[in-house]
Structures are given as C-alpha cells and as structure tokens.
Amino acid sequence: MIGGEIDPTARAEREVRGLFADDEALDRGVSWARQVLDDAGIDPETQQIQAIRALRRAERGLSLIAARYLVSAASGRPPRRRGPRSPVLR
C-alpha cells in the first residue's frame, strides 16, 4: 500500500509493542502510562493534553499517536480499531 498504514490504532499498537518488546507489551505500556500519569498527578480522563505531554516527556521516542492511544487506554477508554479506510474519508 502506498503511504503506509492508515489505521492509527494499529500504528500505535505496533509502536507500543516496539517500545516494550514482548507479548504483553500493550498491557505493560498502559501500566507504564498509568504510573507516569499517577506520579505526575495527571488525570488522563480530564487532562488529556497534559497527559500526552507527560508521556512524551517521559519517553522521547513516543509519537503523538502512540501517546494518544496510551492516554485513552489509561483512562479506561481503549481506542476503537478502525477499518482499512482513511478516517478522513468517513
């Protein structure tokens, strides 16, 4: 496919797995995010932008998409998986 992966959730999951590199990478990534946010006193449900910034400061290699994914998952709202179509075309 030209242009790479369209599904941002799949891209975020792949990136998080790469950072934590094992079969339980997503669970460990979400646990890590919860711990970072808890230590910073940030509520991922009500302070999403601050939460994203805190995670990206804690892990410089974390993309915006992966940080959004982790914030959503840490707040108890796991991101929905989208189909192969671009979200712009929906």
Side-chain angles (χ1 to χ4, degrees):
M1 174 185 308
I2 296 174
E5 201 166 326
I6 294 175
D7 182 9
T9 301
R11 178 178 168 197
E13 287 175 354
R14 187 180 72 244
E15 185 175 328
V16 171
R17 281 190 183 104
L19 288 172
F20 294 94
D22 66 14
D23 291 339
E24 297 175 1
L26 292 177
D27 293 336
R28 287 188 335 110
V30 173
S31 294
W32 169 81
R34 284 185 181 132
Q35 185 63 49
V36 168
L37 298 175
D38 189 46
D39 290 348
I42 297 172
D43 178 15
E45 183 73 35
T46 61
Q47 299 173 296
Q48 293 176 358
I49 293 173
Q50 293 88 343
I52 290 168
R53 286 182 185 152
L55 294 181
R56 293 187 78 196
R57 275 191 215 110
E59 176 57 55
R60 295 287 181 184
L62 196 62
S63 72
L64 179 59
I65 290 172
R68 275 186 50 204
Y69 174 88
L70 288 171
V71 168
S72 291
S75 68
R77 294 177 290 113
R80 294 186 328 253
R81 193 172 275 289
R82 295 185 180 173
R85 289 182 54 195
S86 169
V88 174
L89 300 176
R90 292 179 184 237

